[in-house]
């Protein structure tokens, strides 16, 4: 199912924004976004190494692949953050042989899943859900979601780099005017599917119900693209971080971009939670104290393991 039944005529916009403001304060979405961004900063480099290793199994020319990946990241990330990521990945790739990266793919994948695992905790709080899954199940879930996002990322990049060639093999169409919009539509669907995987599987929804498209996913995707673009334009004309902090400016910019990314994801989840409340399809929210006790118990189990 789509995940929402929107009625433009009878929708109460004022109440919606009031509820969203209240939820952002009650669930400390800005604080949780900062925490998720901190863990994402540790996960982004292992995740990119995992992507490059995964691509290496499919494509033979790793150097060309890395250049194309960097070309795409340069369009999405702020310039200073991109240069930091590019130099770090190049240094790691040059100092590690292909065999080492292949052998350590599981370790790399586990490190990359740390950001998803922390996002799970934040999404549970946004949806007011209590985590009842065992420690090993949550870790396995984080690994699986990271792998799924990696595969979807591969599909999206494949259509970005080779969209027209791939579609020409699948569809009996030679016109670039038709193939190019289909390619970008496929990329959009892939990104929405990525948000669907995160919003459906990461929180502890009981009972589980798959939603292909949700209003939060649409708004999160659009807002992330807009905010990233505005942030890049701002840094292009008014970048004072490098002048003020020197080499640390790139790190600060990367963290800030990751924070904006996490904020878009959590706000999208909050919007979904509000729509669930309005639709009456959401189960009774868990008691905040129970959620807090569940998180404390989960933290104790993590320290023990």
């Amino acid at each position: 199912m789509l995940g929402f039944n929107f009625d433009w005529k009878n929708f109460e916009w004022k109440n919606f924004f009031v509820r969203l403001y209240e939820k952002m304060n009650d669930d400390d979405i800005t604080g949780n976004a900062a925490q998720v961004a901190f863990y994402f900063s540790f996960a982004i480099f292992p995740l990119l190494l995992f992507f490059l290793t995964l691509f290496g199994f499919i494509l033979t020319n790793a150097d060309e692949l890395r250049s194309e990946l960097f070309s795409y990241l340069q369009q999405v990330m702020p310039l200073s953050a991109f240069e930091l990521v590019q130099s770090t990945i190049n240094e790691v790739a040059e100092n590690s042989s292909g065999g080492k990266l292949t052998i350590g793919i599981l370790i790399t994948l586990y490190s990359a899943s740390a950001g998803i695992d922390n996002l799970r905790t934040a999404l549970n709080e946004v949806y007011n859900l209590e985590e009842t899954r065992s420690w090993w199940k949550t870790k396995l879930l984080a690994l699986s979601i990271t792998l799924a996002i990696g595969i979807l990322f591969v599909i999206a990049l494949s259509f970005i780099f080779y969209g027209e060639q791939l579609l020409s093999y699948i569809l009996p169409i030679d016109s670039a005017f038709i193939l190019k919009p289909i390619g970008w539509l496929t990329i959009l669907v892939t990104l929405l599917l990525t948000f669907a995987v995160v919003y459906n599987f990461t929180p502890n929804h009981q009972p589980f119900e798959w939603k292909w498209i949700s209003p939060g996913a649409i708004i999160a995707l659009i807002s992330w693209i807009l905010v990233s673009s505005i942030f890049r334009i701002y840094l292009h004309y008014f970048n004072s971080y490098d002048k003020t902090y020197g080499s640390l400016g790139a790190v600060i910019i990367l963290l800030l971009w990751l924070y904006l990314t996490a904020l878009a994801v959590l706000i999208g989840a909050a919007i979904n939670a509000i729509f669930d409340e309005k639709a009456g399809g959401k189960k009774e929210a868990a008691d905040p104290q129970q959620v807090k006790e569940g998180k404390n118990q989960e933290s104790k189990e993590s320290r023990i393991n």
Side-chain angles (χ1 to χ4, degrees):
M1 60 183 301
L2 292 180
F4 66 101
N5 185 14
F6 194 83
D7 186 359
W8 290 96
K9 295 181 179 180
N10 300 321
F11 190 78
E12 299 177 352
W13 288 101
K14 181 178 179 180
N15 293 338
F16 168 78
F17 286 111
V18 170
R19 181 70 185 101
L20 180 60
Y21 175 78
E22 293 174 349
K23 193 164 185 62
M24 290 186 64
N25 288 331
D26 295 341
D27 296 335
D28 192 21
I29 287 180
T30 54
N32 283 328
Q35 185 177 2
V36 171
F38 177 77
Y39 279 90
F40 274 174
S41 67
F42 289 101
I44 186 171
F45 297 108
L47 188 62
L48 290 176
L49 284 171
F50 167 70
F51 287 153
L52 290 174
T53 307
L54 184 63
F55 289 160
F57 289 119
I58 303 174
L59 302 177
T60 56
N61 195 337
D63 293 334
E64 180 182 354
L65 169 66
R66 194 187 311 171
S67 300
E68 291 174 341
L69 177 61
F70 287 152
S71 176
Y72 172 71
L73 291 177
Q74 188 176 12
Q75 299 177 35
V76 178
M77 301 177 66
L79 180 60
S80 299
F82 163 74
E83 291 174 349
L84 174 64
V85 171
Q86 182 184 35
S87 61
T88 303
I89 295 299
N90 283 333
E91 289 176 5
V92 174
E94 290 174 0
N95 295 327
S96 299
S97 64
K100 291 181 180 178
L101 287 177
T102 304
I103 294 174
I105 188 171
L106 291 178
I107 299 175
T108 302
L109 179 60
Y110 181 83
S111 301
S113 67
I116 297 296
D117 194 45
N118 185 261
L119 180 61
R120 170 186 59 81
T121 304
L123 288 175
N124 276 333
E125 186 169 348
V126 171
Y127 282 101
N128 292 329
L129 299 173
E130 181 181 0
E131 185 58 74
T132 58
R133 295 167 292 192
S134 60
W135 178 86
W136 69 269
K137 285 185 178 180
T138 57
K139 296 302 178 184
L140 184 60
L141 176 69
L143 286 170
S144 302
I145 292 177
T146 304
L147 182 59
I149 292 175
I151 295 173
L152 291 171
F153 193 66
V154 169
I155 295 174
L157 285 179
S158 299
F159 276 96
I160 289 174
F161 300 142
Y162 313 108
E164 293 184 17
Q165 295 91 321
L166 289 174
L167 289 173
S168 62
Y169 285 118
I170 300 173
L171 302 175
I173 301 174
D174 295 330
S175 176
F177 293 101
I178 300 177
L179 292 176
K180 199 163 188 178
I182 295 177
W184 282 108
L185 180 61
T186 305
I187 295 170
L188 179 62
V189 171
T190 304
L191 292 175
L192 286 174
L193 183 58
T194 303
F195 277 94
V197 169
V198 172
Y199 287 148
N200 283 289
F201 289 108
T202 309
N204 188 28
H205 292 295
Q206 296 294 338
F208 175 81
E209 182 182 2
W210 174 263
K211 299 176 181 178
W212 284 101
I213 301 176
S214 62
I218 297 174
I219 295 175
L221 178 59
I222 295 174
S223 61
W224 177 70
I225 294 174
L226 289 177
V227 169
S228 296
S229 301
I230 294 172
F231 188 45
R232 290 181 74 251
I233 294 173
Y234 167 77
L235 291 175
H236 179 73
Y237 292 101
F238 307 102
N239 185 7
S240 60
Y241 292 96
D242 292 338
K243 298 178 182 178
T244 305
Y245 300 102
S247 58
L248 288 176
V251 179
I252 295 173
I253 291 173
L254 176 62
L255 284 172
L256 185 54
W257 180 72
L258 290 174
Y259 171 76
L260 295 174
T261 301
L263 191 61
V265 174
L266 294 182
I267 290 178
I271 292 173
N272 284 341
I274 295 172
F275 270 83
D276 287 342
E277 293 173 358
K278 289 183 175 295
K282 183 174 176 64
K283 293 182 65 177
E284 185 177 352
D287 182 70
Q289 183 64 27
Q290 293 180 355
V291 175
K292 184 177 181 180
E293 291 175 358
K295 291 173 63 177
N296 292 336
Q297 181 65 27
E298 180 184 346
S299 178
K300 290 180 183 178
E301 292 178 359
S302 299
R303 289 195 295 269
I304 293 174
N305 288 277

